[in-house]
Amino acid sequence: MQPVFNTPATQVKADPAQRFVAALIDGFVAYVPVFLLMMISYRLGYLGYIVLLGYHLTKDALPEVSGFLGGQSIGKKLMKIKVIREDTGQGILGDYGTAIVRQVSLMIPIFGIVDALMVLGDERKRFGDKWAKTIVVKA
């Protein structure tokens, strides 16, 4: 069972810089399988892209592995930030539907750029955060 956090109103929202660096780390992590598999065989690179897509869509809901992750992407874990639900303040560990809704907006060409820039606003929320009713806070 996931730990219950303070209410979202008492959580400190993640800085845009933290979110940006976490996204860079996650992008690097997601592309590693593509490069490794393409080095073995060009055709295996397609399998790497499937892994990349799976990680990108579900990274914020991944289960705990040897005390690591537990509802945080690798980038978010390293940057000490976490995605929580607006209404309960609970993490989205295992909630793959919410994780996918959060990421879909970033996959739409041009719209994804606008969406990513929204974290610079007062609310510090992307469309994906609004659609999934989540916020990114300091862990």
Side-chain angles (χ1 to χ4, degrees):
M1 181 160 180
Q2 295 183 50
V4 177
F5 297 92
N6 297 328
T7 60
T10 63
Q11 292 286 315
V12 177
K13 290 184 181 176
D15 297 329
Q18 287 177 298
R19 291 184 71 166
F20 178 74
V21 172
L24 284 177
I25 294 168
D26 287 330
F28 178 76
V29 168
Y31 274 99
V32 166
V34 175
F35 292 130
L36 292 177
L37 290 171
M38 285 186 105
M39 286 184 355
I40 296 169
S41 166
Y42 183 73
R43 290 184 181 176
L44 281 177
Y46 293 115
L47 177 62
Y49 280 112
I50 292 169
V51 171
L52 177 146
L53 182 63
Y55 177 75
H56 178 71
L57 289 173
T58 63
K59 62 188 174 190
D60 294 322
L62 293 174
E64 188 166 338
V65 179
S66 300
F68 196 64
L69 298 182
Q72 290 172 282
S73 69
I74 293 170
K76 284 185 178 69
K77 186 77 165 184
L78 293 174
M79 294 306 300
K80 297 182 171 110
I81 58 178
K82 184 174 182 92
V83 177
I84 63 170
R85 290 184 181 86
E86 281 181 332
D87 55 350
T88 65
Q90 217 174 20
I92 63 169
L93 172 68
D95 188 351
Y96 296 103
T98 298
I100 290 169
V101 168
R102 289 190 76 250
Q103 299 306 323
V104 167
S105 62
L106 292 174
M107 300 180 81
I108 302 168
I110 306 296
F111 184 76
I113 295 168
V114 173
D115 187 37
L117 292 174
M118 289 182 66
V119 299
L120 300 173
D122 292 336
E123 282 188 71
R124 293 188 183 167
K125 292 178 77 168
R126 300 184 301 103
F127 282 116
D129 293 320
K130 291 179 181 190
W131 297 343
K133 296 179 176 58
T134 59
I135 53 177
V136 181
V137 296
K138 294 183 180 186

